[in-house]
Amino acid sequence: LRALGNLSYNNEMNRNIIKDSDITLKVIDLLKVEDFEILRCACGVIANLCSITDQLVYDFIDNGALIHISNLLDHEKIIVSFMSIHALKNFIDDEKAIPCFMEETVFNNLKKVAFTTKDKNIRQDCFSIIQQLLVNNDDNALTFINDQDGFNTLYNYCFPEENIELDASNNNNDEEKTIQKTTDREAFKLLISLIAKEPFAKIFYKSDVYNSVIESFNSEDLNKLRVSIGIISTLAAHDSIVDDVYKRAEAFLPLHKYDDPEINTFLALTLVNISRSEKSCIELFEKGAADTCLGLLKSDNTKHVNAKNFYALIALRHLAIPTENTCKIAELPELFTILCDIFDHEDDIDIHS
């Protein structure tokens, strides 16, 4: 198996020679043994060979490889789990193989590991595969949402807890472990891809987790604020939800004070989405939305700067449309200084227009 793995790694000619032999399907039988080294190598060989032809992928699937590999996702040896997810990622590169992943055992194994594994990389890969499976299949997406406590579980997994051991050199046996929360990007992307569709956005909006998102704007945790304003910017794109979002604008308008590039970009996009009616523009101006736009435009963070400035300018343009707002916005301190500065330093034609 190690020899086959080495021969088939990044070598197209060798892969085709192996494909034409009677070895390939025999490797599947080795996925049933208990020896973790054999399991690791078998997954690696299958992963390498998946890139040859669609037919070989289907042969692997027809002979049970997909189910056997998915059963290894929560193996006690992390290297076996890692190689099994590597193989699954190569399977899913073939779009025609995607329906096979929805076989109950395979999909349930992916969900189980995504929500229980302690390994960050495996968890993120599972969420990435699940996103690919659900993006064009609303029925499966709805099943996923209704399972595992739905959106609440997925939202909480945007902030997995990572245990960081403190320096124990002082031999203090009472020393506790600290908890550092980081954003799980794949869980976040999966959540955003689901609520980008209005039927699922409505389910999210009616759930308790929507209130948790609004309440999180009282937090000082930048990871939580990034995720929450990202969610709000997506929900605000839906006509059935936008009115409620803009009524809660006072909760998130001050976020530009953190001068965080990701928060600022999502905040600017949110302002674009909630300033689509004359009534909302008048009320948003009274709540200080124009000052927020200027604050976003003054931000000198370079990351995402084009997108952030583009959205902030569109939002400001929306706010200036109602006659009640036009003169007030024209009289804002620093407005024309900021606009001239953008002309001097931005070369993006869309921003200029």
Side-chain angles (χ1 to χ4, degrees):
L1 280 172
R2 286 182 176 176
L4 277 177
N6 290 341
L7 287 168
S8 59
Y9 182 72
N10 281 344
N11 191 309
E12 197 68 22
M13 183 177 70
N14 284 352
R15 288 173 181 169
N16 281 293
I17 293 172
I18 296 169
K19 172 183 73 73
D20 294 333
S21 72
D22 62 351
I23 295 174
T24 51
L25 297 182
K26 291 180 179 179
V27 176
I28 297 173
D29 290 332
L30 297 176
L31 295 171
K32 306 170 188 176
V33 305
E34 295 184 359
D35 184 274
F36 82 91
E37 286 286 2
I38 291 178
L39 294 173
R40 173 180 72 85
C41 293
C43 287
V45 170
I46 291 173
N48 291 345
L49 296 178
C50 276
S51 63
I52 301 176
T53 65
D54 292 348
Q55 187 55 52
L56 186 56
V57 171
Y58 304 147
D59 288 344
F60 278 137
I61 292 172
D62 289 342
N63 286 273
L66 203 55
I67 293 176
H68 290 310
I69 292 172
S70 74
N71 286 335
L72 299 174
L73 285 170
D74 62 350
H75 196 277
E76 62 181 352
K77 294 290 186 180
I78 197 70
I79 186 61
V80 176
S81 299
F82 176 79
M83 291 306 296
S84 65
I85 198 72
H86 174 57
L88 291 180
K89 286 166 66 179
N90 284 7
F91 271 101
I92 206 168
D93 283 344
D94 185 342
E95 289 187 3
K96 294 180 181 178
I98 288 179
C100 303
F101 276 80
M102 298 314 301
E103 193 277 334
E104 186 174 357
T105 300
V106 178
F107 192 58
N108 284 345
N109 284 338
L110 280 166
K111 287 191 295 182
K112 175 187 173 184
V113 173
F115 288 124
T116 60
T117 183
K118 299 297 183 183
D119 186 271
K120 180 180 179 181
N121 293 322
I122 292 174
R123 178 176 61 242
Q124 291 191 341
D125 284 340
C126 284
F127 279 132
S128 177
I129 291 175
I130 291 171
Q131 181 181 350
Q132 288 177 263
L133 296 176
L134 300 184
V135 65
N136 292 317
N137 194 318
D138 288 356
D139 289 339
N140 291 328
L142 184 60
T143 300
F144 178 80
I145 290 167
N146 291 331
D147 194 15
Q148 299 282 352
D149 195 19
F151 282 127
N152 186 52
T153 303
L154 191 54
Y155 175 66
N156 288 331
Y157 265 87
C158 290
F159 319 104
E161 293 184 346
E162 305 290 346
N163 290 330
I164 309 297
E165 290 192 24
L166 295 174
D167 182 7
S169 59
N170 58 6
N171 294 319
N172 182 355
N173 293 329
D174 295 328
E175 185 126 63
E176 298 290 335
K177 290 180 178 179
T178 60
I179 301 295
Q180 179 183 11
K181 286 192 173 182
T182 56
T183 304
D184 189 313
R185 302 303 302 175
E186 295 302 328
F188 175 61
K189 287 194 289 185
L190 173 56
L191 177 56
I192 293 298
S193 71
L194 290 171
I195 63 173
K197 297 184 176 183
E198 188 152 12
F200 304 141
K202 289 180 179 178
I203 296 173
F204 185 95
Y205 168 63
K206 294 176 181 177
S207 70
D208 291 339
V209 70
Y210 177 67
N211 292 325
S212 298
V213 169
I214 299 299
E215 290 169 6
S216 72
F217 292 125
N218 296 320
S219 169
E220 296 289 325
D221 183 337
L222 290 183
N223 284 316
K224 183 163 286 191
L225 292 173
R226 291 181 191 119
V227 169
S228 296
I229 192 60
I231 290 170
I232 289 297
S233 70
T234 306
L235 292 175
H238 301 298
D239 292 339
S240 60
I241 302 172
V242 64
D243 283 351
D244 186 80
V245 173
Y246 98 75
K247 289 174 183 175
R248 299 172 183 261
E250 288 170 313
F252 52 80
L253 284 177
L255 291 183
H256 70 281
K257 68 182 181 183
Y258 293 103
D259 202 25
D260 179 88
E262 193 168 353
I263 290 174
N264 284 351
T265 302
F266 282 134
L267 176 57
L269 177 58
T270 303
L271 289 172
V272 171
N273 286 333
I274 64 177
S275 60
R276 289 177 287 159
S277 73
E278 185 166 324
K279 177 185 175 183
S280 65
C281 285
I282 294 170
E283 293 188 17
L284 285 168
F285 180 83
E286 296 301 322
K287 293 178 179 180
D291 291 324
T292 297
C293 288
L294 292 185
L296 290 169
L297 292 169
K298 285 195 294 185
S299 171
D300 46 6
N301 258 310
T302 55
K303 190 176 181 183
H304 308 310
V305 66
N306 277 7
K308 182 260 298 178
N309 283 350
F310 181 61
Y311 294 140
L313 285 166
I314 291 176
L316 194 59
R317 185 182 67 192
H318 287 178
L319 293 171
I321 291 174
T323 53
E324 292 92 331
N325 292 352
T326 306
C327 291
K328 296 176 184 177
I329 289 179
E331 294 170 357
L332 287 173
E334 300 185 280
L335 171 65
F336 292 104
T337 301
I338 292 170
L339 292 177
C340 290
D341 187 61
I342 290 173
F343 269 112
D344 290 341
H345 295 94
E346 287 279 3
D347 56 4
D348 188 296
I349 190 169
D350 290 324
I351 290 177
H352 285 181
S353 65

